[in-house]
Amino acid sequence: MNKPEQEFLDHLLVERNYSPRTVKSYQDDIDKFCEFIYHEGVMIDDVDAICIRNFLTEELNQGISKRSCKRRLSSLKHFYKYLVNVGYTKDNPFVFISAPKVETKYPHALYKEQIEELFKRNAERTDELALRDQAILYLLYYSGIRAQELVTLPIQSVYLRERAIRVLGKGNKERIVPFSVDCQKVLKKYIDKER
């Protein structure tokens, strides 16, 4: 690992407070690129658009996904921005490079009949977690909140009478989310019996 790379990774870890896992991803991306330019005989401050395009082409030819290439390109853009800011290079050759187009993958949704079957099958359970799981299923379905939001949802944020929950979502943004009467009944049963 070269000195500028180590300084950049330290900057991410200490000053930007990135997680060690994120910093490791940056390191892997930078190492991969540095290995490529080393074999091409190009110095880190002589990288140009042609060199970057050759790198991306080689990555795609090796079966690396467009999504991974896009992430790697983002890491390298960030790295070179840092190199310019601290004076290791004059220009950021990644500024005008566009990432490969990534197809949008939409999640698979269940049909209404499948949801009803899920509710029915769970209601037939007799174990001690059946009621809790039913409350989870109903709340996810009828409110549309994310699983992560549900996991971190305190009981004080559930307003049964108003049929609403106060959710702290992405970016610490708070919102009020309504739910159905059916969901209200299941939640009330769960809170009364289990909580």
Side-chain angles (χ1 to χ4, degrees):
M1 184 184 310
N2 57 44
K3 184 182 175 204
E5 181 183 350
Q6 186 59 60
E7 289 177 6
F8 173 65
L9 297 174
D10 290 343
H11 164 76
L12 294 180
L13 197 60
V14 177
E15 294 177 38
R16 299 294 299 273
N17 202 24
Y18 281 23
S19 74
R21 187 175 177 178
T22 301
V23 172
K24 177 73 170 97
S25 291
Y26 271 90
Q27 182 180 354
D28 292 345
D29 293 340
I30 295 166
D31 286 347
K32 184 82 173 165
F33 183 69
C34 287
E35 184 181 320
F36 172 81
I37 62 173
Y38 172 78
H39 290 299
E40 292 288 305
V42 177
M43 300 299 290
I44 201 164
D45 55 343
D46 290 330
V47 170
D48 60 10
I50 293 169
C51 180
I52 297 167
R53 288 286 173 214
N54 289 342
F55 171 69
L56 289 173
T57 300
E58 185 171 298
E59 291 282 281
L60 292 169
N61 288 341
Q62 289 178 358
I64 304 298
S65 71
K66 288 181 179 180
R67 188 174 304 281
S68 294
C69 284
K70 186 175 182 176
R71 192 211 65 236
R72 192 163 283 161
L73 200 58
S74 175
S75 297
L76 292 166
K77 199 175 280 190
H78 194 175
F79 175 52
Y80 267 84
K81 182 179 178 187
Y82 173 82
L83 294 179
V84 170
N85 288 343
V86 296
Y88 280 114
T89 61
K90 290 190 290 264
D91 299 308
N92 183 347
F94 287 87
V95 169
F96 298 109
I97 302 293
S98 56
K101 295 278 186 239
V102 178
E103 68 178 70
T104 305
K105 289 187 179 178
Y106 296 103
H108 295 287
L110 296 174
Y111 291 103
K112 186 177 181 200
E113 296 79 22
Q114 292 172 308
I115 296 287
E116 289 169 355
E117 183 68 19
L118 187 62
F119 290 158
K120 181 182 164 200
R121 292 287 175 101
N122 193 72
E124 293 169 357
R125 288 174 46 197
T126 56
D127 61 276
E128 67 272 359
L129 297 179
L131 189 55
R132 182 206 65 179
D133 291 350
Q134 194 75 340
I136 287 171
L137 291 171
Y138 268 70
L139 198 52
L140 285 172
Y141 180 70
Y142 285 108
S143 71
I145 65 172
R146 299 176 184 92
Q148 180 59 37
E149 293 169 341
L150 181 104
V151 169
T152 58
L153 184 71
I155 196 74
Q156 300 85 356
S157 294
V158 177
Y159 305 101
L160 279 178
R161 198 170 5 150
E162 292 82 6
R163 292 194 351 253
I165 50 176
R166 190 177 64 237
V167 178
L168 195 62
K170 289 184 176 181
N172 280 341
K173 291 182 182 169
E174 191 176 88
R175 67 187 195 283
I176 303 297
V177 180
F179 53 82
S180 71
V181 173
D182 289 339
C183 185
Q184 179 188 39
K185 289 175 187 172
V186 172
L187 286 174
K188 181 169 179 14
K189 189 175 177 184
Y190 169 64
I191 291 169
D192 290 346
K193 283 193 174 183
E194 305 291 330
R195 300 292 295 196

